[in-house]
PDB file of all heavy atoms in Angstrom:
ATOM      1  N   GLN M  39     -80.932   7.395  17.791  1.00  0.00           N
ATOM      2  CA  GLN M  39     -80.783   6.395  18.840  1.00  0.00           C
ATOM      3  C   GLN M  39     -81.237   7.002  20.124  1.00  0.00           C
ATOM      4  O   GLN M  39     -80.511   7.739  20.788  1.00  0.00           O
ATOM      5  CB  GLN M  39     -79.327   5.902  18.963  1.00  0.00           C
ATOM      6  CG  GLN M  39     -79.188   4.774  19.975  1.00  0.00           C
ATOM      7  CD  GLN M  39     -77.750   4.264  20.053  1.00  0.00           C
ATOM      8  OE1 GLN M  39     -76.793   5.002  20.002  1.00  0.00           O
ATOM      9  NE2 GLN M  39     -77.595   2.918  20.196  1.00  0.00           N
ATOM     10  N   PRO M  40     -82.488   6.730  20.536  1.00  0.00           N
ATOM     11  CA  PRO M  40     -82.981   7.241  21.838  1.00  0.00           C
ATOM     12  C   PRO M  40     -82.327   6.504  22.964  1.00  0.00           C
ATOM     13  O   PRO M  40     -81.592   5.525  22.722  1.00  0.00           O
ATOM     14  CB  PRO M  40     -84.474   6.945  21.751  1.00  0.00           C
ATOM     15  CG  PRO M  40     -84.611   5.833  20.786  1.00  0.00           C
ATOM     16  CD  PRO M  40     -83.467   5.916  19.817  1.00  0.00           C
ATOM     17  N   PRO M  41     -82.565   6.912  24.205  1.00  0.00           N
ATOM     18  CA  PRO M  41     -81.943   6.248  25.357  1.00  0.00           C
ATOM     19  C   PRO M  41     -82.218   4.723  25.419  1.00  0.00           C
ATOM     20  O   PRO M  41     -81.419   3.981  26.028  1.00  0.00           O
ATOM     21  CB  PRO M  41     -82.599   6.966  26.544  1.00  0.00           C
ATOM     22  CG  PRO M  41     -82.906   8.322  26.026  1.00  0.00           C
ATOM     23  CD  PRO M  41     -83.305   8.110  24.618  1.00  0.00           C
ATOM     24  N   SER M  42     -83.263   4.264  24.822  1.00  0.00           N
ATOM     25  CA  SER M  42     -83.567   2.837  24.841  1.00  0.00           C
ATOM     26  C   SER M  42     -82.510   2.059  24.061  1.00  0.00           C
ATOM     27  O   SER M  42     -82.397   0.805  24.248  1.00  0.00           O
ATOM     28  CB  SER M  42     -84.960   2.540  24.278  1.00  0.00           C
ATOM     29  OG  SER M  42     -85.037   3.051  22.934  1.00  0.00           O
ATOM     30  N   GLY M  43     -81.783   2.667  23.190  1.00  0.00           N
ATOM     31  CA  GLY M  43     -80.653   2.009  22.525  1.00  0.00           C
ATOM     32  C   GLY M  43     -80.912   1.615  21.092  1.00  0.00           C
ATOM     33  O   GLY M  43     -79.989   1.458  20.323  1.00  0.00           O
ATOM     34  N   GLU M  44     -82.144   1.430  20.714  1.00  0.00           N
ATOM     35  CA  GLU M  44     -82.460   0.935  19.328  1.00  0.00           C
ATOM     36  C   GLU M  44     -82.288   2.079  18.339  1.00  0.00           C
ATOM     37  O   GLU M  44     -82.853   3.139  18.453  1.00  0.00           O
ATOM     38  CB  GLU M  44     -83.907   0.438  19.340  1.00  0.00           C
ATOM     39  CG  GLU M  44     -84.396  -0.125  18.059  1.00  0.00           C
ATOM     40  CD  GLU M  44     -85.764  -0.723  18.187  1.00  0.00           C
ATOM     41  OE1 GLU M  44     -86.162  -1.019  19.321  1.00  0.00           O
ATOM     42  OE2 GLU M  44     -86.466  -0.873  17.187  1.00  0.00           O
ATOM     43  N   LEU M  45     -81.549   1.808  17.288  1.00  0.00           N
ATOM     44  CA  LEU M  45     -81.361   2.815  16.175  1.00  0.00           C
ATOM     45  C   LEU M  45     -82.628   2.832  15.344  1.00  0.00           C
ATOM     46  O   LEU M  45     -83.103   1.783  14.893  1.00  0.00           O
ATOM     47  CB  LEU M  45     -80.167   2.475  15.324  1.00  0.00           C
ATOM     48  CG  LEU M  45     -78.831   3.107  15.772  1.00  0.00           C
ATOM     49  CD1 LEU M  45     -78.268   2.342  16.949  1.00  0.00           C
ATOM     50  CD2 LEU M  45     -77.859   3.164  14.623  1.00  0.00           C
ATOM     51  N   VAL M  46     -83.118   4.004  15.121  1.00  0.00           N
ATOM     52  CA  VAL M  46     -84.331   4.164  14.310  1.00  0.00           C
ATOM     53  C   VAL M  46     -83.987   4.839  13.007  1.00  0.00           C
ATOM     54  O   VAL M  46     -83.357   5.943  12.991  1.00  0.00           O
ATOM     55  CB  VAL M  46     -85.357   5.015  15.082  1.00  0.00           C
ATOM     56  CG1 VAL M  46     -86.609   5.257  14.198  1.00  0.00           C
ATOM     57  CG2 VAL M  46     -85.728   4.352  16.382  1.00  0.00           C
ATOM     58  N   PHE M  47     -84.299   4.240  11.872  1.00  0.00           N
ATOM     59  CA  PHE M  47     -84.040   4.764  10.569  1.00  0.00           C
ATOM     60  C   PHE M  47     -84.882   6.002  10.339  1.00  0.00           C
ATOM     61  O   PHE M  47     -86.034   6.041  10.604  1.00  0.00           O
ATOM     62  CB  PHE M  47     -84.377   3.704   9.524  1.00  0.00           C
ATOM     63  CG  PHE M  47     -84.418   4.220   8.132  1.00  0.00           C
ATOM     64  CD1 PHE M  47     -83.268   4.402   7.408  1.00  0.00           C
ATOM     65  CD2 PHE M  47     -85.646   4.473   7.515  1.00  0.00           C
ATOM     66  CE1 PHE M  47     -83.336   4.846   6.072  1.00  0.00           C
ATOM     67  CE2 PHE M  47     -85.697   4.926   6.227  1.00  0.00           C
ATOM     68  CZ  PHE M  47     -84.536   5.097   5.483  1.00  0.00           C
ATOM     69  N   LEU M  48     -84.233   7.101   9.868  1.00  0.00           N
ATOM     70  CA  LEU M  48     -84.932   8.338   9.539  1.00  0.00           C
ATOM     71  C   LEU M  48     -85.021   8.622   8.067  1.00  0.00           C
ATOM     72  O   LEU M  48     -86.124   8.962   7.599  1.00  0.00           O
ATOM     73  CB  LEU M  48     -84.222   9.503  10.258  1.00  0.00           C
ATOM     74  CG  LEU M  48     -84.223   9.514  11.749  1.00  0.00           C
ATOM     75  CD1 LEU M  48     -83.408  10.724  12.285  1.00  0.00           C
ATOM     76  CD2 LEU M  48     -85.604   9.503  12.348  1.00  0.00           C
ATOM     77  N   ILE M  49     -83.906   8.492   7.340  1.00  0.00           N
ATOM     78  CA  ILE M  49     -83.952   8.840   5.947  1.00  0.00           C
ATOM     79  C   ILE M  49     -82.787   8.165   5.189  1.00  0.00           C
ATOM     80  O   ILE M  49     -81.738   7.887   5.790  1.00  0.00           O
ATOM     81  CB  ILE M  49     -83.845  10.362   5.747  1.00  0.00           C
ATOM     82  CG1 ILE M  49     -84.133  10.745   4.275  1.00  0.00           C
ATOM     83  CG2 ILE M  49     -82.491  10.879   6.202  1.00  0.00           C
ATOM     84  CD1 ILE M  49     -84.200  12.199   4.009  1.00  0.00           C
ATOM     85  N   ARG M  50     -83.008   7.926   3.921  1.00  0.00           N
ATOM     86  CA  ARG M  50     -81.978   7.490   3.003  1.00  0.00           C
ATOM     87  C   ARG M  50     -82.016   8.328   1.753  1.00  0.00           C
ATOM     88  O   ARG M  50     -83.076   8.603   1.226  1.00  0.00           O
ATOM     89  CB  ARG M  50     -82.219   6.045   2.615  1.00  0.00           C
ATOM     90  CG  ARG M  50     -81.199   5.462   1.606  1.00  0.00           C
ATOM     91  CD  ARG M  50     -81.574   4.101   1.127  1.00  0.00           C
ATOM     92  NE  ARG M  50     -82.655   4.108   0.174  1.00  0.00           N
ATOM     93  CZ  ARG M  50     -83.095   3.013  -0.428  1.00  0.00           C
ATOM     94  NH1 ARG M  50     -82.561   1.855  -0.223  1.00  0.00           N
ATOM     95  NH2 ARG M  50     -84.088   3.085  -1.310  1.00  0.00           N
ATOM     96  N   ARG M  51     -80.858   8.775   1.295  1.00  0.00           N
ATOM     97  CA  ARG M  51     -80.738   9.463   0.058  1.00  0.00           C
ATOM     98  C   ARG M  51     -79.634   8.831  -0.810  1.00  0.00           C
ATOM     99  O   ARG M  51     -78.604   8.438  -0.249  1.00  0.00           O
ATOM    100  CB  ARG M  51     -80.378  10.967   0.252  1.00  0.00           C
ATOM    101  CG  ARG M  51     -81.385  11.729   1.071  1.00  0.00           C
ATOM    102  CD  ARG M  51     -82.776  11.623   0.555  1.00  0.00           C
ATOM    103  NE  ARG M  51     -82.943  12.073  -0.831  1.00  0.00           N
ATOM    104  CZ  ARG M  51     -83.158  13.324  -1.133  1.00  0.00           C
ATOM    105  NH1 ARG M  51     -83.211  14.237  -0.203  1.00  0.00           N
ATOM    106  NH2 ARG M  51     -83.351  13.674  -2.370  1.00  0.00           N
TER     107      ARG M  51
END
Side-chain angles (χ1 to χ4, degrees):
Chain M
Q39 186 178 39
S42 59
E44 181 175 340
L45 270 77
V46 178
F47 166 81
L48 296 178
I49 190 172
R50 178 187 76 176
R51 300 308 301 274

